[in-house]
Amino acid sequence: MIGAILVVAAAVSSPDPGVAAYLSAEGIEVAKVAKVPKRADDRAWSHAAVHEVLAHPQRTMRLPDKTANAHLLRAPTPVQVRALHDGTSLSVKLTWPDDTETRPVADAASFGDAAAMELPVTFGRGVRLPYIGMGDAGQNVLVYLLRTAKDGSYGREYTGAGFGSLTRTNVGGFYGDITYSPAQKMWQAVFVRRLTSHGHTIARGAVPVAFAVWNGALHERGGNKALTSWKTLHLQGLNDDAAYLKELSFGYGEGEYGDPAAGKAMVESMCIACHHVGDKALVPAELAPSLQSVGGIATYRYLYDSITNPNQILVPNPNKNRHHQVGGPQDPYGALPHNPGFSWSVDMGGGKTNSKMPPFALPKEQVLNMVAYLKPRPEK
Amino acid sequence: MSTRQLAMVMDLNKCIGCQTCTVSCKTQWTNRDGREYMYWNNVETKPGKGYPARWEEMGGGFDETGALRDGEVPSKYTDYGVPWDYNLDDIMRGEALEAQQKLKQGPNWDEDQGAGDHPNSYLFYLPRICNHCSNPGCLAACPRGAIFKRDQDGIVLVDQKRCEGLRYCIAGCPYKKVYFNPKRFKSEKCIFCFPRIEKGLPPACAQQCVGRIRFVGFLDDVDSQVHKLVHKYKVALPLHQEYGTQPNVFYVPPLPGPPKFDKNGKPIEGSERIPVSYLEELFGPETKNALKTLQAEMDKRKKTGKSELMDLLIAYKHEEMFRIETPRPKPQVAHGGDGLVQIVKRKVPA
């Protein structure tokens, strides 16, 4: 209830109706309190707005685990997000349902539940968001991972520049904990980050953020997880830069959201030539990134740019050794080359890499229709 | 993928299932620090479920289109077996020998069971290490590019610094020869005893093999025993080549053995005790030719006293089973795919 009131309050105070609509749908209001809570059961959380986001099973790329992949078609996980700041630190609490408290035991086939928060390394007006899946070569991310252990939990910090690139780092100023409530069958994770640590600052009014949760009982780990699209933390009392908010809210402004029904035919006749779309597949998996749950993990801006200017954000190619060119030239020991058909980008020489997808020079209205079909509202 | 390739050939006609290789590997590498349950080298009885149990049904490797297949990660509770102890103190007081836990599974759980009914039952032993494949399923499966093949000898290794214990390599390996170390939270596997190789010594399992079944050498060295057995005589075959990973451990298949007996206990001339069709399931369509060559060379040896192949397989001198020039070890970083791995430099805004 408090959450709804706060969201409405924020919407009213914002002069731009597109920004207001965006913040209402994808913004997380971060109220300022005297001291941010570190524990999930802290009373201070009653001051936080509740914003529900959906975490979708990762299907852009495929990992080769039979058990985990048996659950790829499951419904997205609803994650409640609460966030507070005190001018020095940000505290984010995630709450999501999980019937089983899965902590790892000393066995190869045992995977623990976990949660993560992703932040862009650089952000602000004129800076595009990193690729949602661990960032990309041009825009790196910081990832805060909370893993359950046999007893308790532990946190890890990583930087990422695309699939497979996560590297441990220590920006510092991070505290986290993850606890299970057997009564409610809910996990609660708290991420506390100093607003400024080692020169990296999130002390701004609008901070892009994304979340992921792992269900260990389903053998989820690494890329087998459920993730959200980029959302925006809206920190009370800090400069939220109206122009940046306007950029982030693309898709919610006047004339920025098309007709999903009109986009359907175009997506299903064009995109489907290389991508898996919905439950439709004409080509082998992973010829191109799968679009099966893209609406749940991508922003409107990302989808629009990916159609009109695919070279702007290259989805990093996962391990190319997963596809051999059968019948290709073997080395003396039988090693086969990669199948170039499954490379998502082309090396243009001179350090330049282009997306294999051509730019589509379509009228804006048609692109918006396709984007609306890929990411319909409300999110489901 | 590598400039050179070390290979091992195991002559299954000489394997007596004594597990000396298993023990030499275990004492060298896996008796400590979270590896207690692992057997980088194991010897299993075929036909049988093997180790880990039903590994041949767990997927991984590549399909006919060249795409990595989904696989399973085995569990120690159902597939590897939980290491156990016996009540050794109690038996000194006259108690019966008992395991200290209820046993459900273990390495070599179905030892010597084999298949077929008396008096025509059959079995043979299959020692297994990592195949150090030319197209490794583990390397392809690792989302972090943490697995690499050494250029100088093709040994497949897990970069312990890049490994984050995600275990996709275990799913991707169709031989289930990558193991998870829960204590270190890393994947680990047979390293072909590379520290020994770098000193010109064969892997411990080969050095200790009392049956002298293991040959070690470089496949491009035409004077090596492995080259002769694999390429010249074509009697050494990869295990389950249909998995598409191009293994570099090769097996001389067991001869079909003595004839079967009929109802009256008389030998059935020309019958096969070990069905060649079963051997073909393991070693592929070249099995028949390999067996034919082995038989022909045995006959030739009987008649003329001469056969290079028989001399090779007899292995009069143990040290002549190994031809390992000391390769110059080069420091190498993981490459698991073009441009996959980028060590991300910390980038913070000014």
Side-chain angles (χ1 to χ4, degrees), chain B residues 53-71:
Chain B
R54 40 165 218 102
W55 62 269
E56 287 157 298
E57 300 161 24
M58 286 183 171
F62 297 88
D63 68 17
E64 60 285 350
T65 70
L68 186 65
R69 294 193 306 164
D70 286 3

mmCIF file of all heavy atoms in Angstrom, chain B residues 53-71:
data_model
loop_
_atom_site.group_PDB
_atom_site.id
_atom_site.type_symbol
_atom_site.label_atom_id
_atom_site.label_comp_id
_atom_site.label_asym_id
_atom_site.label_seq_id
_atom_site.Cartn_x
_atom_site.Cartn_y
_atom_site.Cartn_z
ATOM 1 N N ALA B 53 28.017 -44.797 -12.364
ATOM 2 C CA ALA B 53 27.016 -45.737 -12.877
ATOM 3 C C ALA B 53 26.237 -45.119 -14.035
ATOM 4 O O ALA B 53 25.852 -43.954 -13.983
ATOM 5 C CB ALA B 53 26.063 -46.138 -11.747
ATOM 6 N N ARG B 54 26.036 -45.881 -15.078
ATOM 7 C CA ARG B 54 25.322 -45.534 -16.326
ATOM 8 C C ARG B 54 25.845 -44.253 -16.984
ATOM 9 O O ARG B 54 25.112 -43.470 -17.569
ATOM 10 C CB ARG B 54 23.790 -45.498 -16.183
ATOM 11 C CG ARG B 54 23.234 -44.896 -14.925
ATOM 12 C CD ARG B 54 21.794 -44.547 -14.902
ATOM 13 N NE ARG B 54 21.655 -43.307 -14.158
ATOM 14 C CZ ARG B 54 21.483 -42.127 -14.714
ATOM 15 N NH1 ARG B 54 21.319 -42.000 -16.002
ATOM 16 N NH2 ARG B 54 21.421 -41.044 -13.974
ATOM 17 N N TRP B 55 27.185 -44.081 -16.944
ATOM 18 C CA TRP B 55 27.758 -42.891 -17.576
ATOM 19 C C TRP B 55 27.463 -42.836 -19.068
ATOM 20 O O TRP B 55 27.358 -41.752 -19.649
ATOM 21 C CB TRP B 55 29.271 -42.819 -17.323
ATOM 22 C CG TRP B 55 30.090 -43.949 -17.890
ATOM 23 C CD1 TRP B 55 30.421 -45.099 -17.253
ATOM 24 C CD2 TRP B 55 30.690 -44.028 -19.192
ATOM 25 N NE1 TRP B 55 31.177 -45.901 -18.070
ATOM 26 C CE2 TRP B 55 31.359 -45.269 -19.262
ATOM 27 C CE3 TRP B 55 30.729 -43.181 -20.309
ATOM 28 C CZ2 TRP B 55 32.050 -45.678 -20.405
ATOM 29 C CZ3 TRP B 55 31.414 -43.586 -21.439
ATOM 30 C CH2 TRP B 55 32.066 -44.823 -21.483
ATOM 31 N N GLU B 56 27.302 -44.000 -19.685
ATOM 32 C CA GLU B 56 27.067 -43.985 -21.143
ATOM 33 C C GLU B 56 25.685 -43.443 -21.505
ATOM 34 O O GLU B 56 25.408 -43.183 -22.671
ATOM 35 C CB GLU B 56 27.233 -45.401 -21.715
ATOM 36 C CG GLU B 56 28.683 -45.849 -21.769
ATOM 37 C CD GLU B 56 28.840 -47.357 -21.783
ATOM 38 O OE1 GLU B 56 28.418 -47.998 -20.795
ATOM 39 O OE2 GLU B 56 29.375 -47.889 -22.762
ATOM 40 N N GLU B 57 24.800 -43.308 -20.497
ATOM 41 C CA GLU B 57 23.446 -42.800 -20.790
ATOM 42 C C GLU B 57 23.294 -41.341 -20.373
ATOM 43 O O GLU B 57 22.189 -40.800 -20.396
ATOM 44 C CB GLU B 57 22.406 -43.636 -20.025
ATOM 45 C CG GLU B 57 22.419 -45.101 -20.392
ATOM 46 C CD GLU B 57 21.733 -45.959 -19.314
ATOM 47 O OE1 GLU B 57 20.892 -45.426 -18.571
ATOM 48 O OE2 GLU B 57 22.077 -47.145 -19.235
ATOM 49 N N MET B 58 24.382 -40.710 -19.948
ATOM 50 C CA MET B 58 24.239 -39.382 -19.334
ATOM 51 C C MET B 58 24.411 -38.209 -20.298
ATOM 52 O O MET B 58 24.396 -37.057 -19.875
ATOM 53 C CB MET B 58 25.214 -39.241 -18.175
ATOM 54 C CG MET B 58 24.777 -40.039 -16.971
ATOM 55 S SD MET B 58 25.908 -39.776 -15.606
ATOM 56 C CE MET B 58 25.028 -40.580 -14.278
ATOM 57 N N GLY B 59 24.574 -38.488 -21.583
ATOM 58 C CA GLY B 59 24.623 -37.396 -22.553
ATOM 59 C C GLY B 59 25.957 -36.683 -22.593
ATOM 60 O O GLY B 59 26.964 -37.152 -22.051
ATOM 61 N N GLY B 60 25.977 -35.525 -23.220
ATOM 62 C CA GLY B 60 27.217 -34.794 -23.470
ATOM 63 C C GLY B 60 27.780 -35.202 -24.822
ATOM 64 O O GLY B 60 27.185 -35.999 -25.546
ATOM 65 N N GLY B 61 28.922 -34.634 -25.181
ATOM 66 C CA GLY B 61 29.479 -34.889 -26.508
ATOM 67 C C GLY B 61 28.703 -34.138 -27.581
ATOM 68 O O GLY B 61 27.964 -33.188 -27.273
ATOM 69 N N PHE B 62 28.847 -34.541 -28.823
ATOM 70 C CA PHE B 62 28.262 -33.790 -29.932
ATOM 71 C C PHE B 62 27.302 -34.656 -30.741
ATOM 72 O O PHE B 62 27.523 -35.855 -30.891
ATOM 73 C CB PHE B 62 29.377 -33.274 -30.843
ATOM 74 C CG PHE B 62 30.295 -32.313 -30.143
ATOM 75 C CD1 PHE B 62 31.402 -32.773 -29.448
ATOM 76 C CD2 PHE B 62 30.032 -30.955 -30.122
ATOM 77 C CE1 PHE B 62 32.238 -31.909 -28.770
ATOM 78 C CE2 PHE B 62 30.858 -30.075 -29.444
ATOM 79 C CZ PHE B 62 31.958 -30.550 -28.767
ATOM 80 N N ASP B 63 26.248 -34.016 -31.247
ATOM 81 C CA ASP B 63 25.311 -34.758 -32.086
ATOM 82 C C ASP B 63 25.802 -34.761 -33.534
ATOM 83 O O ASP B 63 26.859 -34.214 -33.849
ATOM 84 C CB ASP B 63 23.881 -34.209 -31.940
ATOM 85 C CG ASP B 63 23.719 -32.810 -32.521
ATOM 86 O OD1 ASP B 63 24.586 -32.365 -33.308
ATOM 87 O OD2 ASP B 63 22.723 -32.152 -32.185
ATOM 88 N N GLU B 64 25.023 -35.368 -34.414
ATOM 89 C CA GLU B 64 25.495 -35.552 -35.797
ATOM 90 C C GLU B 64 25.610 -34.230 -36.563
ATOM 91 O O GLU B 64 26.312 -34.143 -37.562
ATOM 92 C CB GLU B 64 24.610 -36.565 -36.557
ATOM 93 C CG GLU B 64 23.139 -36.211 -36.699
ATOM 94 C CD GLU B 64 22.343 -36.400 -35.405
ATOM 95 O OE1 GLU B 64 22.855 -36.977 -34.417
ATOM 96 O OE2 GLU B 64 21.184 -35.950 -35.382
ATOM 97 N N THR B 65 24.973 -33.170 -36.044
ATOM 98 C CA THR B 65 25.115 -31.868 -36.702
ATOM 99 C C THR B 65 26.334 -31.097 -36.173
ATOM 100 O O THR B 65 26.617 -29.995 -36.624
ATOM 101 C CB THR B 65 23.869 -30.971 -36.471
ATOM 102 O OG1 THR B 65 23.843 -30.566 -35.095
ATOM 103 C CG2 THR B 65 22.584 -31.699 -36.807
ATOM 104 N N GLY B 66 27.018 -31.690 -35.177
ATOM 105 C CA GLY B 66 28.183 -31.011 -34.615
ATOM 106 C C GLY B 66 27.847 -30.118 -33.434
ATOM 107 O O GLY B 66 28.691 -29.370 -32.961
ATOM 108 N N ALA B 67 26.603 -30.194 -32.947
ATOM 109 C CA ALA B 67 26.200 -29.343 -31.812
ATOM 110 C C ALA B 67 26.391 -30.099 -30.500
ATOM 111 O O ALA B 67 26.111 -31.304 -30.428
ATOM 112 C CB ALA B 67 24.738 -28.918 -31.964
ATOM 113 N N LEU B 68 26.852 -29.381 -29.491
ATOM 114 C CA LEU B 68 27.034 -29.969 -28.161
ATOM 115 C C LEU B 68 25.696 -30.473 -27.635
ATOM 116 O O LEU B 68 24.691 -29.767 -27.718
ATOM 117 C CB LEU B 68 27.615 -28.915 -27.211
ATOM 118 C CG LEU B 68 27.999 -29.360 -25.810
ATOM 119 C CD1 LEU B 68 29.154 -30.352 -25.853
ATOM 120 C CD2 LEU B 68 28.374 -28.154 -24.958
ATOM 121 N N ARG B 69 25.687 -31.699 -27.116
ATOM 122 C CA ARG B 69 24.449 -32.268 -26.578
ATOM 123 C C ARG B 69 24.342 -31.965 -25.087
ATOM 124 O O ARG B 69 25.340 -31.909 -24.380
ATOM 125 C CB ARG B 69 24.443 -33.794 -26.744
ATOM 126 C CG ARG B 69 24.393 -34.284 -28.172
ATOM 127 C CD ARG B 69 24.063 -35.770 -28.205
ATOM 128 N NE ARG B 69 24.998 -36.545 -27.379
ATOM 129 C CZ ARG B 69 24.771 -37.801 -26.984
ATOM 130 N NH1 ARG B 69 23.663 -38.414 -27.335
ATOM 131 N NH2 ARG B 69 25.657 -38.440 -26.253
ATOM 132 N N ASP B 70 23.112 -31.822 -24.605
ATOM 133 C CA ASP B 70 22.897 -31.671 -23.167
ATOM 134 C C ASP B 70 23.342 -32.945 -22.456
ATOM 135 O O ASP B 70 23.203 -34.045 -22.993
ATOM 136 C CB ASP B 70 21.405 -31.457 -22.878
ATOM 137 C CG ASP B 70 20.938 -30.059 -23.255
ATOM 138 O OD1 ASP B 70 21.759 -29.288 -23.785
ATOM 139 O OD2 ASP B 70 19.756 -29.750 -23.035
ATOM 140 N N GLY B 71 23.833 -32.788 -21.253
ATOM 141 C CA GLY B 71 24.228 -33.950 -20.458
ATOM 142 C C GLY B 71 23.840 -33.767 -19.003
ATOM 143 O O GLY B 71 23.331 -32.716 -18.605
#
